[in-house]
Amino acid sequence: MLVVAWIGLGRPNTVDALTAALPWQQVTTTTTAPPAQAPASAPAAAPVDTTDLTTPPADVEGPFRVVRVVDGDTLIVAKPDRETRVRLIGIDTPESVAPDRPVECFGPEASARTTELLAGQTVTLRGDPTQDGVDQYGRELDYVWLPDGRLLNHVLVAEGYAVEHTYAAPYAYQQHLRAAQQQAQDTGAGLWSATTCGGVTG
């Protein structure tokens, strides 16, 4: 049939010319567009931390009466069944009573400030599932809230009586304590002052 068409159409000399001359031959050119690229997604916004450091969470224990302050970061509370030695999570204060270590710069001041905040008071407590329940010395590891709702751990760091210290794993209030420490450093509060320890306690 192509031969007849070739003769009848004046002997076109190329296949393209023959194809163009055939009225019943439809040529369709398809151009494949490159796949559309998904628009670049914007970076995810950082989560907004709405933690309230002036109101204890609903699941705290207590209130318990403070029996006495051992040093800047340790206290003893009266629970219904026993007196319990409590170590504050996420902070470290200079040593003031360790029998095998010398008194460190700002240790007495830190102990005095904790005593001032807790003398004659009751506190509420809460542990942290990211931390051990007790430390190597048998002290219960807790966050401690003052009667006015403030988190004692945070107050001591913010005022320059303690430094933030992550012992084994990140904990619930880590970023808050680190921010409080940075502010204390920037303002030269407490042990960060050049007239006290300049940030070097040991």
Side-chain angles (χ1 to χ4, degrees), residues 27 36 40 97 138 180:
V27 179
V97 297

Side-chain angles (χ1 to χ4, degrees), residues 7 10 28 36 71 136 140 164 170 175 202:
I7 295 172
T28 303
D71 62 10
Q136 59 182 324
E140 184 175 294
E164 187 279 330
Q175 65 174 328

